[in-house]
Amino acid sequence: MKRTLAALTAAAACALACAAGAQGYPARPVKILVGFAAGGPTDVIARIVAQDMTGPLGQSFVVENRPGANAIIATEAVARSAPDGYTLLFSSLSLLVNAILMEGKVRYDPFKDFAPVSNAAVLPMVVVTSPQTRLDSMQDLIALARARPGELSYATSGNGGSTHLAGAMLENATGTKMINVPFKGNGPALAEVMAGRVTFMFYPIVGIADQVSAKKLKVLAVGTLRPHADFPAVPTLEQSGLPGFEETAPWVGMLAPAGTPAAVVNRLGEEMRKSLAKSETKERFKALGAVAVADTPAEFAAFLRKDHERWARVIKTSGVKAE
């Protein structure tokens, strides 16, 4: 009985201390690690959110880029950081995919070592090809892939990235076998598609309107639930007979180290959702081709579980390997 009472007293004291700490949070600048170089979508969105959170919380939220090893360096650093809310991770699909592809080789667990704060946004993709291929639809592409197994190619930004996984998911869904041609980034990959040296690719929806207007690129389908305003005449992947591909959209979101007080995590999530609800933030996201999500810590945690299960299935079925 005495032990039970002591345990309850200790738990209550801990709860009060955590609450008191959360009320004074943040008392100093907060660091947000991004595992990619400056200028990419994860970095840009992180900086938008950090700027919005700096004012209301009364302390600077500073983005620090630690690129390398497909974001593993930054991810492991945050996993080992003190769970006090002063070192955060702005992450992407790589959080989950690295852990699947390199199981036992990365020094973090995406679920045990992190406390999800909020999913900031998703970046829908489109399927693009060169007009030289004379493909006019996904049905044309799939029919050609079936007629010429192992001959059609799709460009990707690297093995295990979102564009590679989307291509692997297409192979799984259609029972086809195609060639993954990895490049160091989406830009070089798109250049080879436009030149007609690679058949097609999944590409983030932003920044291709000029190439489409100039007839250097053709959009076969959009990976959104509804037709996209930039390409209103182009069918969605679901309308093309490929349901579920809107879930291939890469996500970017914030996580804290596991053990961070719930009150701190909830406050961070609340301020993120306020940022993402602002009309000017939505406009800046739109220019990036991003769609704001702004979910709660619990919703983000559930999303991560579902996303992990989906990509684990795709990777196992397709045999995707790490570089």
Side-chain angles (χ1 to χ4, degrees):
M1 182 70 179
K2 288 182 179 179
R3 288 184 179 179
T4 302
L5 182 60
L8 289 172
T9 302
C14 180
L16 287 171
C18 290
Q23 286 178 355
Y25 174 86
R28 62 180 190 270
V30 177
K31 183 166 56 181
I32 303 174
L33 267 58
V34 173
F36 302 98
T42 306
D43 171 73
V44 172
I45 292 172
R47 290 178 187 276
I48 292 171
V49 172
Q51 182 181 15
D52 283 348
M53 294 174 73
T54 291
L57 287 171
Q59 291 287 345
S60 297
F61 280 69
V62 181
V63 172
E64 180 180 312
N65 300 93
R66 289 198 194 174
N70 196 29
I72 291 173
I73 293 171
T75 305
E76 290 182 343
V78 176
R80 296 192 299 269
S81 295
D84 54 13
Y86 290 97
T87 303
L88 306 172
L89 178 69
F90 214 85
S91 192
S92 69
L93 180 67
S94 62
L95 172 79
L96 306 176
V97 173
N98 288 334
I100 298 168
L101 287 175
M102 304 176 71
E103 186 177 4
K105 296 180 181 179
V106 294
R107 293 179 293 168
Y108 73 86
D109 183 295
F111 303 108
K112 293 179 181 178
D113 293 333
F114 295 97
V117 174
S118 181
N119 191 354
V122 293
L123 294 98
M125 292 193 284
V126 293
V127 182
V128 294
T129 187
S130 166
Q132 298 175 42
T133 64
R134 299 184 181 179
L135 298 171
D136 294 319
S137 66
M138 289 302 296
Q139 289 86 349
D140 289 349
L141 174 63
I142 294 164
L144 188 60
R146 286 173 174 159
R148 296 163 54 185
E151 292 185 29
L152 268 64
S153 56
Y154 59 95
T156 68
S157 58
N159 283 331
S162 56
T163 52
H164 183 196
L165 293 178
M169 187 172 169
L170 179 63
E171 290 183 86
N172 292 350
T174 58
T176 55
K177 185 63 178 174
M178 294 177 272
I179 304 168
N180 162 38
V181 185
F183 294 89
K184 292 183 177 180
N186 280 321
L190 187 67
E192 292 301 294
V193 172
M194 286 194 291
R197 288 186 283 269
V198 184
T199 312
F200 74 100
M201 77 174 292
F202 283 82
Y203 190 84
I205 210 162
V206 69
I208 61 167
D210 289 344
Q211 291 97 321
V212 174
S213 297
K215 300 191 183 304
K216 294 179 180 179
L217 272 181
K218 182 184 293 184
V219 181
L220 299 181
V222 296
T224 51
L225 284 172
R226 290 172 290 279
H228 196 274
D230 289 351
F231 309 105
V234 176
T236 67
L237 282 159
E238 184 167 3
Q239 290 171 334
S240 303
L242 296 162
F245 271 77
E246 69 280 353
E247 295 177 338
T248 63
W251 57 267
V252 290
M254 184 183 287
L255 303 100
T260 301
V264 171
V265 172
N266 289 334
R267 187 169 188 202
L268 287 167
E270 181 182 353
E271 292 301 329
M272 269 192 73
R273 291 192 296 277
K274 288 179 182 177
S275 163
L276 299 168
K278 294 165 63 175
S279 58
E280 56 266 40
T281 300
K282 290 181 179 179
E283 285 301 312
R284 293 176 74 180
F285 275 26
K286 184 178 178 182
L288 294 169
V291 179
V293 176
D295 55 9
T296 65
E299 289 169 339
F300 190 23
F303 167 82
L304 291 173
R305 287 284 182 187
K306 182 179 178 183
D307 207 44
H308 183 273
E309 291 170 2
R310 170 172 46 253
W311 294 124
R313 286 195 304 270
V314 170
I315 289 168
K316 182 179 179 180
T317 303
S318 61
V320 170
K321 301 292 184 185
E323 289 181 317

